Amino acid sequence: MAPFTTRLLRLLPIAMLLGGVTLAQSQTYGLGKTPTAEEIRAWDISISPTGEELPPGRGTAVEGAQVYQLKACSACHGEKGIGGPAPRLVKLDAKPGGDAWDLGRILPIRAPYATLIWDYTNRAMPLGAEGSLTADEVYALTAYMLYINDLISEDMVIDAKSLPKIEMPNRTAFAPLPDWKPGMPRLPGYPH
Amino acid sequence: MDSKRPDRRRFLKGGAALAGSLTLGAVKPALGQTPESGQFIKGTDEMIAYGDRSRFVTSKRMPHPPGGRESPDGFGLVFHVAAPLQDSVGMITPSSLHFVGTTRGSYIPDIDPTEHRLMIHGMVDRPLTFTMEDLKRLPSVTRPHFIECAGNRSRPQHKSVQESHGMTSCAEWTGVLLSVLLKEAGVKDSAPWIVAEGAEEVKGASSIPMAKAMDDCMVAYGMNGEALRPQQGFPVRLLVPGFEGIFHSKYLRRIKAVDRYYMTYSDYGHLNREPERAALGYQIGPKSVITFPSGGQQLPGKGFYQISGLAWSGGGAVSKVEVSTDGGRRWMDAEIKGTAYRMAHTRFGLTWNWDGKETELLSRCTDELGQVQPARAQVAEFFNARAGSGFSVPGQDNSIQPWRIASDGAVHNAIT
């Protein structure tokens, strides 16, 4: 860290000469280290709704069903996503006249974006070995979860390109988020 | 003990000359204030190094929800832990008694602070990685803030204030303002959100508005005068003052400035069908609860009491607390004890002479934005619902808590 700080201090007068926007946004304290692009890639497990952070890899529901058994997902989530102690992975039966919201708070059906299924499986599964799945395994498991919820066919290839394009039934079923500003009441006029 | 009192009095009155010839050990304690020989607490190495409370003080936390399902998955792990508000005094919750919310049942990462790093990246000019040493060198702030779990919801079956309200606590936090770190990394004006992520097993992450991140969010390493406890995110956590508990990422490892709501798993849990419910989802409303007398406690008889409680709001400082001792017919301004800090528990009190008749005690908080804590019936009316037992206040439940005082002095939860 010391060489970096020294380097920064040397650069400071040059930045001052250059002035402008760059100067206004320079570091004030000179602390912290610049991570490498690889370090950022390794740490950055946030997958946006459009999936630009998705890594290379691919998988189908057929492969996912095998991974589901191999990684003992069924021990917690039950055979085919129903009946285990962990949250259910298959949608509830549709209510007559109901909408996507009625299918339950079940990740592979309520998630407004299919990228979220990938993101959560990748970061938080399996229990006790979180983060240990390969990208291919996560793609395959995601495909499997989409398949058992009737969202894709058994042989559809899920990868960085196809995953963000899956039309989730809850995509537009949720209310927009409030535009939070400091000093703002939660809901004007609430509760009376 | 009463029978010994006259003996001691006689001894004290007439025995001055004898005192020198008697050892202290021969004197029986009369009022429980003079320890007998052998009743002193030994100054062990442990007690010298890190003090402990009296063995007569037994206030403790409990799993939440009480007696119910322990965790959302069926593994039987303790998921949340509630603070004993019924025993609380002042506005600070001791670190050992602070409520705990977990993502997956009490897994606590055992983090070596020298190895821990916090990365700031995404829509910034200069991604930066900070060590704990770096963070402690930066200008710090110290502020009291409450954290409350969105599931802190009083239900008819809750017997005590610990069960109904114990998922809130208030500590004095020390750390670096997140705005300092974001500016240091050169955050871009075009980034309207951040994603904050912890290092625990599920790497829980939430999207937070940039307006909040730059306003008063704190990257905290200190709690009540010492390092954070592991259950509170050691070595460093995010404070998002006034927002629901889940936003206050523990074991903070990464802040990413992003161009949109990132729809993380925690965000997904916040989705709502109706805009009114969605609007109640971030910021905690004005809320208060009487902690004495509260459910499960027993008043010894009629006479003088100081009613005592806690008030707080995610909208800022508490500006007023009113208390009713007659079921809500008349409201009196309670005394604010000390300073009402922004997004902090505030202790209030009201003197009360109980006439021994059955009644109901209520408290109502108003915050600096003029938001007033509602009754359940008012919330139900707003949502065109009936305030019966099936009614659940949308968003974080900040409705008024009624305690019924029975004529025998027993205190009961009066929520129906």
Side-chain angles (χ1 to χ4, degrees), chain B residues 42-52:
Chain B
K42 285 203 175 66
T44 59
D45 288 351
E46 290 77 18
M47 285 293 282
I48 290 165
Y50 199 88
D52 206 351

Side-chain angles (χ1 to χ4, degrees), chain B residues 13-26:
Chain B
K13 271 182 190 164
L18 288 170
S21 63
L22 287 170
T23 62
L24 187 62

Side-chain angles (χ1 to χ4, degrees), chain A residues 25 28-29 33 43-44 46 48 50 52-53 85 99 123-125 127 130 175 177 180 184 186 191, chain B residues 74 104 125-127 129 184 197 201-203 253-254 256 260-262 268 272-273 283 371 382:
Chain A
Q25 295 185 348
T28 306
Y29 306 104
K33 183 173 156 287
W43 276 52
D44 186 7
S46 294
S48 91
T50 44
E52 51 264 32
E53 300 93 340
D99 63 12
R123 75 171 64 217
M125 292 294 146
L127 182 72
E130 295 84 358
L177 297 150
W180 188 91
M184 201 177 77
R186 295 198 298 169
Chain B
R104 194 182 271 169
D125 291 337
R126 286 174 304 279
T129 305
E184 203 66 358
E197 181 181 275
E201 80 289 352
V202 299
K203 302 209 164 32
R253 72 161 208 152
R254 196 165 66 88
K256 182 178 186 179
R260 78 199 90 160
Y261 192 64
Y262 244 48
Y268 143 87
N272 270 287
R273 212 179 211 157
Q283 188 172 295
Q371 300 184 109
F382 183 86

Side-chain angles (χ1 to χ4, degrees), chain A residues 7-147:
Chain A
R7 198 168 71 234
L8 190 94
L9 288 174
R10 284 200 194 121
L11 288 172
L12 210 59
I14 302 166
M16 282 172 173
L17 281 174
L18 292 172
V21 179
T22 319
L23 180 63
Q25 295 185 348
S26 319
Q27 277 188 273
T28 306
Y29 306 104
L31 294 170
K33 183 173 156 287
T34 306
T36 64
E38 293 90 278
E39 280 172 328
I40 295 174
R41 240 194 318 278
W43 276 52
D44 186 7
I45 54 170
S46 294
I47 310 296
S48 91
T50 44
E52 51 264 32
E53 300 93 340
L54 283 168
R58 61 172 295 289
T60 64
V62 175
E63 292 157 0
Q66 291 166 5
V67 179
Y68 190 81
Q69 294 306 325
L70 192 71
K71 296 287 172 184
C73 306
S74 55
C76 297
H77 293 282
E79 289 299 321
K80 298 180 178 170
I82 302 177
R88 175 185 167 123
L89 299 174
V90 181
K91 65 186 174 183
L92 306 176
D93 292 335
K95 285 183 190 166
D99 63 12
W101 208 264
D102 298 325
L103 302 174
R105 184 172 163 173
I106 292 162
L107 184 65
I109 195 75
R110 185 171 284 183
Y113 308 98
T115 48
L116 171 54
I117 309 167
W118 199 99
D119 176 302
Y120 191 66
T121 307
N122 178 57
R123 75 171 64 217
M125 292 294 146
L127 182 72
E130 295 84 358
S132 65
L133 299 170
T134 66
D136 282 347
E137 285 168 343
V138 181
Y139 279 115
L141 286 170
T142 303
Y144 178 67
M145 285 184 270
L146 292 168
Y147 168 69

